[in-house]
Each structure stands twice: as structure tokens, then as C-alpha cells.
mmCIF file of all heavy atoms in Angstrom:
data_model
loop_
_atom_site.group_PDB
_atom_site.id
_atom_site.type_symbol
_atom_site.label_atom_id
_atom_site.label_comp_id
_atom_site.label_asym_id
_atom_site.label_seq_id
_atom_site.Cartn_x
_atom_site.Cartn_y
_atom_site.Cartn_z
ATOM 1 N N ARG A 14 192.362 159.963 332.012
ATOM 2 C CA ARG A 14 191.293 160.278 332.964
ATOM 3 C C ARG A 14 191.580 161.579 333.703
ATOM 4 O O ARG A 14 190.695 162.444 333.823
ATOM 5 C CB ARG A 14 191.134 159.134 333.968
ATOM 6 C CG ARG A 14 190.069 159.413 335.023
ATOM 7 C CD ARG A 14 189.986 158.305 336.057
ATOM 8 N NE ARG A 14 188.967 158.625 337.050
ATOM 9 C CZ ARG A 14 188.692 157.846 338.099
ATOM 10 N NH1 ARG A 14 189.340 156.708 338.265
ATOM 11 N NH2 ARG A 14 187.763 158.200 338.959
ATOM 12 N N ILE A 15 192.808 161.733 334.195
ATOM 13 C CA ILE A 15 193.161 162.936 334.939
ATOM 14 C C ILE A 15 193.008 164.179 334.071
ATOM 15 O O ILE A 15 192.495 165.214 334.502
ATOM 16 C CB ILE A 15 194.599 162.838 335.486
ATOM 17 C CG1 ILE A 15 194.670 161.759 336.575
ATOM 18 C CG2 ILE A 15 195.070 164.183 336.023
ATOM 19 C CD1 ILE A 15 193.800 162.030 337.779
ATOM 20 N N ASN A 16 193.438 164.075 332.813
ATOM 21 C CA ASN A 16 193.340 165.223 331.911
ATOM 22 C C ASN A 16 191.897 165.693 331.760
ATOM 23 O O ASN A 16 191.605 166.892 331.764
ATOM 24 C CB ASN A 16 193.919 164.880 330.541
ATOM 25 C CG ASN A 16 195.427 164.754 330.555
ATOM 26 O OD1 ASN A 16 196.095 165.170 331.506
ATOM 27 N ND2 ASN A 16 195.982 164.168 329.511
ATOM 28 N N LEU A 17 190.976 164.736 331.618
ATOM 29 C CA LEU A 17 189.570 165.098 331.442
ATOM 30 C C LEU A 17 188.935 165.569 332.741
ATOM 31 O O LEU A 17 188.181 166.539 332.767
ATOM 32 C CB LEU A 17 188.787 163.919 330.876
ATOM 33 C CG LEU A 17 188.978 163.629 329.386
ATOM 34 C CD1 LEU A 17 188.302 162.317 329.009
ATOM 35 C CD2 LEU A 17 188.432 164.771 328.523
ATOM 36 N N GLU A 18 189.229 164.868 333.845
ATOM 37 C CA GLU A 18 188.555 165.176 335.100
ATOM 38 C C GLU A 18 189.082 166.440 335.763
ATOM 39 O O GLU A 18 188.418 166.982 336.657
ATOM 40 C CB GLU A 18 188.657 163.992 336.060
ATOM 41 C CG GLU A 18 187.838 162.784 335.602
ATOM 42 C CD GLU A 18 187.779 161.685 336.638
ATOM 43 O OE1 GLU A 18 188.638 161.668 337.548
ATOM 44 O OE2 GLU A 18 186.871 160.839 336.532
ATOM 45 N N THR A 19 190.247 166.928 335.365
ATOM 46 C CA THR A 19 190.779 168.161 335.942
ATOM 47 C C THR A 19 190.678 169.324 334.967
ATOM 48 O O THR A 19 191.149 170.428 335.265
ATOM 49 C CB THR A 19 192.251 167.989 336.368
ATOM 50 O OG1 THR A 19 193.041 167.633 335.228
ATOM 51 C CG2 THR A 19 192.375 166.927 337.445
ATOM 52 N N ASP A 20 190.061 169.094 333.831
ATOM 53 C CA ASP A 20 189.909 170.133 332.815
ATOM 54 C C ASP A 20 188.562 170.827 333.018
ATOM 55 O O ASP A 20 187.515 170.190 332.910
ATOM 56 C CB ASP A 20 189.977 169.497 331.418
ATOM 57 C CG ASP A 20 189.913 170.529 330.304
ATOM 58 O OD1 ASP A 20 189.586 171.696 330.573
ATOM 59 O OD2 ASP A 20 190.186 170.149 329.151
ATOM 60 N N PRO A 21 188.556 172.123 333.317
ATOM 61 C CA PRO A 21 187.279 172.813 333.542
ATOM 62 C C PRO A 21 186.435 172.940 332.292
ATOM 63 O O PRO A 21 185.268 173.341 332.376
ATOM 64 C CB PRO A 21 187.705 174.198 334.050
ATOM 65 C CG PRO A 21 189.080 174.390 333.499
ATOM 66 C CD PRO A 21 189.704 173.028 333.505
ATOM 67 N N SER A 22 186.986 172.593 331.134
ATOM 68 C CA SER A 22 186.219 172.682 329.890
ATOM 69 C C SER A 22 185.903 171.290 329.344
ATOM 70 O O SER A 22 185.736 171.118 328.137
ATOM 71 C CB SER A 22 186.988 173.490 328.840
ATOM 72 O OG SER A 22 188.185 172.816 328.477
ATOM 73 N N ALA A 23 185.813 170.287 330.233
ATOM 74 C CA ALA A 23 185.527 168.922 329.784
ATOM 75 C C ALA A 23 184.636 168.205 330.786
ATOM 76 O O ALA A 23 184.675 168.485 331.991
ATOM 77 C CB ALA A 23 186.825 168.137 329.589
ATOM 78 N N VAL A 24 183.824 167.287 330.280
ATOM 79 C CA VAL A 24 183.039 166.383 331.104
ATOM 80 C C VAL A 24 183.136 164.999 330.474
ATOM 81 O O VAL A 24 183.186 164.864 329.259
ATOM 82 C CB VAL A 24 181.554 166.809 331.209
ATOM 83 C CG1 VAL A 24 181.428 168.118 331.967
ATOM 84 C CG2 VAL A 24 180.911 166.937 329.838
ATOM 85 N N VAL A 25 183.191 163.954 331.299
ATOM 86 C CA VAL A 25 183.338 162.602 330.778
ATOM 87 C C VAL A 25 182.444 161.650 331.550
ATOM 88 O O VAL A 25 182.264 161.787 332.758
ATOM 89 C CB VAL A 25 184.823 162.139 330.843
ATOM 90 C CG1 VAL A 25 185.350 162.156 332.275
ATOM 91 C CG2 VAL A 25 184.990 160.750 330.218
ATOM 92 N N PHE A 26 181.851 160.696 330.832
ATOM 93 C CA PHE A 26 181.003 159.669 331.428
ATOM 94 C C PHE A 26 181.424 158.297 330.925
ATOM 95 O O PHE A 26 181.871 158.147 329.780
ATOM 96 C CB PHE A 26 179.535 159.872 331.048
ATOM 97 C CG PHE A 26 178.917 161.117 331.608
ATOM 98 C CD1 PHE A 26 178.735 162.227 330.804
ATOM 99 C CD2 PHE A 26 178.515 161.175 332.923
ATOM 100 C CE1 PHE A 26 178.161 163.384 331.307
ATOM 101 C CE2 PHE A 26 177.935 162.333 333.434
ATOM 102 C CZ PHE A 26 177.755 163.435 332.621
ATOM 103 N N ALA A 27 181.263 157.304 331.769
ATOM 104 C CA ALA A 27 181.369 155.915 331.339
ATOM 105 C C ALA A 27 180.045 155.491 330.708
ATOM 106 O O ALA A 27 178.998 156.071 330.992
ATOM 107 C CB ALA A 27 181.691 155.016 332.525
ATOM 108 N N ILE A 28 180.097 154.502 329.846
ATOM 109 C CA ILE A 28 178.893 153.915 329.247
ATOM 110 C C ILE A 28 178.824 152.461 329.682
ATOM 111 O O ILE A 28 179.760 151.693 329.463
ATOM 112 C CB ILE A 28 178.943 153.983 327.702
ATOM 113 C CG1 ILE A 28 179.162 155.419 327.222
ATOM 114 C CG2 ILE A 28 177.660 153.403 327.107
ATOM 115 C CD1 ILE A 28 179.442 155.511 325.735
ATOM 116 N N ASP A 29 177.733 152.085 330.324
ATOM 117 C CA ASP A 29 177.482 150.701 330.723
ATOM 118 C C ASP A 29 176.373 150.125 329.849
ATOM 119 O O ASP A 29 175.479 150.854 329.407
ATOM 120 C CB ASP A 29 177.041 150.615 332.181
ATOM 121 C CG ASP A 29 178.146 150.952 333.150
ATOM 122 O OD1 ASP A 29 179.323 150.979 332.748
ATOM 123 O OD2 ASP A 29 177.825 151.214 334.325
ATOM 124 N N ASP A 30 176.422 148.830 329.616
ATOM 125 C CA ASP A 30 175.297 148.206 328.915
ATOM 126 C C ASP A 30 174.177 147.935 329.907
ATOM 127 O O ASP A 30 174.261 148.311 331.086
ATOM 128 C CB ASP A 30 175.733 146.950 328.150
ATOM 129 C CG ASP A 30 176.135 145.791 329.069
ATOM 130 O OD1 ASP A 30 175.900 145.856 330.299
ATOM 131 O OD2 ASP A 30 176.683 144.806 328.546
ATOM 132 N N ARG A 31 173.126 147.303 329.456
ATOM 133 C CA ARG A 31 171.947 147.125 330.303
ATOM 134 C C ARG A 31 172.153 146.109 331.422
ATOM 135 O O ARG A 31 171.305 145.966 332.285
ATOM 136 C CB ARG A 31 170.745 146.760 329.423
ATOM 137 C CG ARG A 31 170.307 147.930 328.550
ATOM 138 C CD ARG A 31 169.284 147.547 327.503
ATOM 139 N NE ARG A 31 168.895 148.702 326.686
ATOM 140 C CZ ARG A 31 169.580 149.162 325.649
ATOM 141 N NH1 ARG A 31 170.708 148.536 325.300
ATOM 142 N NH2 ARG A 31 169.175 150.201 324.963
ATOM 143 N N THR A 32 173.290 145.414 331.395
ATOM 144 C CA THR A 32 173.620 144.503 332.492
ATOM 145 C C THR A 32 174.573 145.142 333.486
ATOM 146 O O THR A 32 174.943 144.522 334.473
ATOM 147 C CB THR A 32 174.251 143.208 331.949
ATOM 148 O OG1 THR A 32 175.569 143.496 331.430
ATOM 149 C CG2 THR A 32 173.397 142.595 330.856
ATOM 150 N N GLY A 33 174.983 146.391 333.215
ATOM 151 C CA GLY A 33 175.928 147.069 334.091
ATOM 152 C C GLY A 33 177.373 146.894 333.698
ATOM 153 O O GLY A 33 178.270 147.372 334.399
ATOM 154 N N ARG A 34 177.635 146.234 332.571
ATOM 155 C CA ARG A 34 179.003 146.036 332.101
ATOM 156 C C ARG A 34 179.513 147.316 331.442
ATOM 157 O O ARG A 34 178.839 147.909 330.613
ATOM 158 C CB ARG A 34 179.041 144.882 331.101
ATOM 159 C CG ARG A 34 180.416 144.615 330.494
ATOM 160 C CD ARG A 34 180.370 143.485 329.482
ATOM 161 N NE ARG A 34 179.458 143.770 328.376
ATOM 162 C CZ ARG A 34 179.556 143.241 327.167
ATOM 163 N NH1 ARG A 34 180.520 142.368 326.900
ATOM 164 N NH2 ARG A 34 178.674 143.535 326.226
ATOM 165 N N HIS A 35 180.708 147.728 331.813
ATOM 166 C CA HIS A 35 181.322 148.921 331.226
ATOM 167 C C HIS A 35 181.769 148.601 329.805
ATOM 168 O O HIS A 35 182.551 147.681 329.584
ATOM 169 C CB HIS A 35 182.521 149.335 332.082
ATOM 170 C CG HIS A 35 183.264 150.522 331.559
ATOM 171 N ND1 HIS A 35 184.636 150.600 331.589
ATOM 172 C CD2 HIS A 35 182.838 151.681 330.995
ATOM 173 C CE1 HIS A 35 185.028 151.752 331.075
ATOM 174 N NE2 HIS A 35 183.955 152.419 330.703
ATOM 175 N N ILE A 36 181.258 149.375 328.829
ATOM 176 C CA ILE A 36 181.550 149.078 327.429
ATOM 177 C C ILE A 36 182.183 150.249 326.681
ATOM 178 O O ILE A 36 182.611 150.088 325.532
ATOM 179 C CB ILE A 36 180.280 148.650 326.671
ATOM 180 C CG1 ILE A 36 179.223 149.772 326.723
ATOM 181 C CG2 ILE A 36 179.734 147.336 327.230
ATOM 182 C CD1 ILE A 36 178.028 149.527 325.813
ATOM 183 N N GLY A 37 182.263 151.426 327.307
ATOM 184 C CA GLY A 37 182.843 152.549 326.581
ATOM 185 C C GLY A 37 182.802 153.832 327.387
ATOM 186 O O GLY A 37 182.431 153.841 328.571
ATOM 187 N N ASP A 38 183.194 154.915 326.734
ATOM 188 C CA ASP A 38 183.246 156.227 327.363
ATOM 189 C C ASP A 38 182.804 157.278 326.359
ATOM 190 O O ASP A 38 182.979 157.112 325.149
ATOM 191 C CB ASP A 38 184.674 156.558 327.825
ATOM 192 C CG ASP A 38 185.293 155.434 328.628
ATOM 193 O OD1 ASP A 38 184.798 155.156 329.733
ATOM 194 O OD2 ASP A 38 186.264 154.826 328.132
ATOM 195 N N VAL A 39 182.249 158.382 326.857
ATOM 196 C CA VAL A 39 181.833 159.491 326.002
ATOM 197 C C VAL A 39 182.140 160.787 326.736
ATOM 198 O O VAL A 39 182.024 160.862 327.960
ATOM 199 C CB VAL A 39 180.334 159.379 325.640
ATOM 200 C CG1 VAL A 39 179.449 159.479 326.878
ATOM 201 C CG2 VAL A 39 179.936 160.401 324.593
ATOM 202 N N ASP A 40 182.581 161.796 325.989
ATOM 203 C CA ASP A 40 182.929 163.045 326.653
ATOM 204 C C ASP A 40 182.634 164.253 325.781
ATOM 205 O O ASP A 40 182.507 164.157 324.559
ATOM 206 C CB ASP A 40 184.410 163.049 327.053
ATOM 207 C CG ASP A 40 185.349 163.168 325.862
ATOM 208 O OD1 ASP A 40 185.497 164.288 325.324
ATOM 209 O OD2 ASP A 40 185.961 162.158 325.463
ATOM 210 N N LEU A 41 182.514 165.382 326.447
ATOM 211 C CA LEU A 41 182.558 166.693 325.821
ATOM 212 C C LEU A 41 183.848 167.356 326.271
ATOM 213 O O LEU A 41 184.193 167.301 327.458
ATOM 214 C CB LEU A 41 181.376 167.565 326.254
ATOM 215 C CG LEU A 41 179.980 167.148 325.799
ATOM 216 C CD1 LEU A 41 178.941 168.029 326.478
ATOM 217 C CD2 LEU A 41 179.842 167.222 324.281
ATOM 218 N N HIS A 42 184.559 167.979 325.364
ATOM 219 C CA HIS A 42 185.773 168.693 325.729
ATOM 220 C C HIS A 42 185.868 169.982 324.916
ATOM 221 O O HIS A 42 185.062 170.217 324.019
ATOM 222 C CB HIS A 42 187.013 167.820 325.514
ATOM 223 C CG HIS A 42 187.201 167.350 324.104
ATOM 224 N ND1 HIS A 42 186.474 166.313 323.557
ATOM 225 C CD2 HIS A 42 188.015 167.788 323.106
ATOM 226 C CE1 HIS A 42 186.837 166.136 322.301
ATOM 227 N NE2 HIS A 42 187.763 167.017 321.994
ATOM 228 N N ARG A 43 186.839 170.801 325.271
ATOM 229 C CA ARG A 43 186.973 172.126 324.664
ATOM 230 C C ARG A 43 185.636 172.885 324.707
ATOM 231 O O ARG A 43 185.224 173.499 323.729
ATOM 232 C CB ARG A 43 187.499 172.029 323.232
ATOM 233 C CG ARG A 43 188.891 171.453 323.148
ATOM 234 C CD ARG A 43 189.545 171.759 321.823
ATOM 235 N NE ARG A 43 190.858 171.161 321.749
ATOM 236 C CZ ARG A 43 191.721 171.335 320.746
ATOM 237 N NH1 ARG A 43 191.380 172.107 319.734
ATOM 238 N NH2 ARG A 43 192.895 170.748 320.743
ATOM 239 N N ILE A 44 184.983 172.818 325.869
ATOM 240 C CA ILE A 44 183.747 173.578 326.044
ATOM 241 C C ILE A 44 184.101 175.065 326.067
ATOM 242 O O ILE A 44 184.899 175.507 326.889
ATOM 243 C CB ILE A 44 183.026 173.180 327.338
ATOM 244 C CG1 ILE A 44 182.657 171.688 327.313
ATOM 245 C CG2 ILE A 44 181.780 174.038 327.544
ATOM 246 C CD1 ILE A 44 182.072 171.175 328.620
ATOM 247 N N ASP A 45 183.528 175.797 325.151
ATOM 248 C CA ASP A 45 183.762 177.237 325.034
ATOM 249 C C ASP A 45 182.492 177.954 325.473
ATOM 250 O O ASP A 45 181.488 177.944 324.764
ATOM 251 C CB ASP A 45 184.108 177.579 323.581
ATOM 252 C CG ASP A 45 184.510 179.046 323.398
ATOM 253 O OD1 ASP A 45 183.938 179.909 324.091
ATOM 254 O OD2 ASP A 45 185.390 179.310 322.554
ATOM 255 N N TRP A 46 182.549 178.571 326.658
ATOM 256 C CA TRP A 46 181.345 179.172 327.216
ATOM 257 C C TRP A 46 180.941 180.436 326.471
ATOM 258 O O TRP A 46 179.762 180.792 326.438
ATOM 259 C CB TRP A 46 181.543 179.470 328.707
ATOM 260 C CG TRP A 46 181.776 178.235 329.504
ATOM 261 C CD1 TRP A 46 182.939 177.841 330.086
ATOM 262 C CD2 TRP A 46 180.827 177.190 329.770
ATOM 263 N NE1 TRP A 46 182.772 176.617 330.708
ATOM 264 C CE2 TRP A 46 181.494 176.206 330.534
ATOM 265 C CE3 TRP A 46 179.487 177.004 329.432
ATOM 266 C CZ2 TRP A 46 180.852 175.051 330.966
ATOM 267 C CZ3 TRP A 46 178.857 175.847 329.875
ATOM 268 C CH2 TRP A 46 179.533 174.894 330.630
ATOM 269 N N ARG A 47 181.908 181.148 325.886
ATOM 270 C CA ARG A 47 181.568 182.343 325.120
ATOM 271 C C ARG A 47 180.906 181.962 323.799
ATOM 272 O O ARG A 47 179.895 182.542 323.412
ATOM 273 C CB ARG A 47 182.821 183.194 324.869
ATOM 274 C CG ARG A 47 183.355 183.887 326.118
ATOM 275 C CD ARG A 47 184.481 184.832 325.775
ATOM 276 N NE ARG A 47 185.631 184.114 325.242
ATOM 277 C CZ ARG A 47 186.618 183.634 325.975
ATOM 278 N NH1 ARG A 47 186.592 183.786 327.284
ATOM 279 N NH2 ARG A 47 187.637 183.004 325.424
ATOM 280 N N GLU A 48 181.488 180.999 323.115
ATOM 281 C CA GLU A 48 180.950 180.562 321.834
ATOM 282 C C GLU A 48 179.803 179.581 322.006
ATOM 283 O O GLU A 48 179.053 179.307 321.067
ATOM 284 C CB GLU A 48 182.068 179.917 321.007
ATOM 285 C CG GLU A 48 181.724 179.682 319.559
ATOM 286 C CD GLU A 48 182.892 179.073 318.797
ATOM 287 O OE1 GLU A 48 183.096 177.845 318.913
ATOM 288 O OE2 GLU A 48 183.588 179.817 318.104
ATOM 289 N N LYS A 49 179.685 178.995 323.209
ATOM 290 C CA LYS A 49 178.665 177.996 323.532
ATOM 291 C C LYS A 49 178.784 176.774 322.615
ATOM 292 O O LYS A 49 177.802 176.296 322.034
ATOM 293 C CB LYS A 49 177.254 178.597 323.451
ATOM 294 C CG LYS A 49 176.993 179.688 324.489
ATOM 295 C CD LYS A 49 175.555 180.126 324.482
ATOM 296 C CE LYS A 49 175.301 181.222 325.521
ATOM 297 N NZ LYS A 49 175.574 180.756 326.893
ATOM 298 N N SER A 50 180.002 176.270 322.515
ATOM 299 C CA SER A 50 180.258 175.093 321.693
ATOM 300 C C SER A 50 181.132 174.110 322.455
ATOM 301 O O SER A 50 181.743 174.460 323.474
ATOM 302 C CB SER A 50 180.946 175.488 320.384
ATOM 303 O OG SER A 50 182.259 175.977 320.641
ATOM 304 N N ALA A 51 181.172 172.878 321.975
ATOM 305 C CA ALA A 51 182.028 171.854 322.565
ATOM 306 C C ALA A 51 182.308 170.802 321.515
ATOM 307 O O ALA A 51 181.638 170.721 320.482
ATOM 308 C CB ALA A 51 181.363 171.226 323.788
ATOM 309 N N ARG A 52 183.299 169.966 321.783
ATOM 310 C CA ARG A 52 183.603 168.836 320.913
ATOM 311 C C ARG A 52 183.275 167.536 321.644
ATOM 312 O O ARG A 52 183.397 167.454 322.869
ATOM 313 C CB ARG A 52 185.070 168.843 320.493
ATOM 314 C CG ARG A 52 185.448 170.095 319.702
ATOM 315 C CD ARG A 52 186.825 169.967 319.124
ATOM 316 N NE ARG A 52 187.318 171.263 318.660
ATOM 317 C CZ ARG A 52 188.523 171.453 318.143
ATOM 318 N NH1 ARG A 52 189.358 170.429 318.038
ATOM 319 N NH2 ARG A 52 188.909 172.648 317.746
ATOM 320 N N LEU A 53 182.868 166.555 320.890
ATOM 321 C CA LEU A 53 182.442 165.267 321.443
ATOM 322 C C LEU A 53 183.350 164.158 320.936
ATOM 323 O O LEU A 53 183.718 164.135 319.760
ATOM 324 C CB LEU A 53 180.992 164.989 321.041
ATOM 325 C CG LEU A 53 180.339 163.686 321.513
ATOM 326 C CD1 LEU A 53 178.832 163.899 321.694
ATOM 327 C CD2 LEU A 53 180.575 162.526 320.535
#
């Protein structure tokens, strides 16, 4: 979590189901602003 949340080239979200239960996570990392690309 710390690695993603302190990385200026990453964003991370939790995924909840329709009842509000946490079921997973999804992120973009290695965001390259010059190339305008990222990895998921």
C-alpha cells in the first residue's frame, strides 16, 4: 500500500461489491506523462 500511495506515478483503488464488501483492488502504475502510458 505504501509503495503505491507514495508513488507519484501510481494510483490505486479498492473494489467493493454491490453490498459494500471489499473484494479486490485495481491500480495504474508506471504512469509516464511524456509517453502518456501506464500499466494496469
Side-chain angles (χ1 to χ4, degrees):
R14 178 183 179 182
I15 292 298
N16 289 346
L17 284 172
E18 291 188 341
T19 60
D20 184 348
S22 65
V24 293
V25 59
F26 294 102
I28 305 171
D29 291 345
D30 69 11
R31 291 170 180 82
T32 70
R34 178 182 60 155
H35 178 220
I36 60 171
D38 310 294
V39 63
D40 71 77
L41 293 173
H42 59 283
R43 296 198 182 185
I44 300 174
D45 186 324
W46 297 109
R47 289 187 296 270
E48 192 179 80
K49 295 187 180 298
S50 67
R52 299 189 194 178
L53 180 150

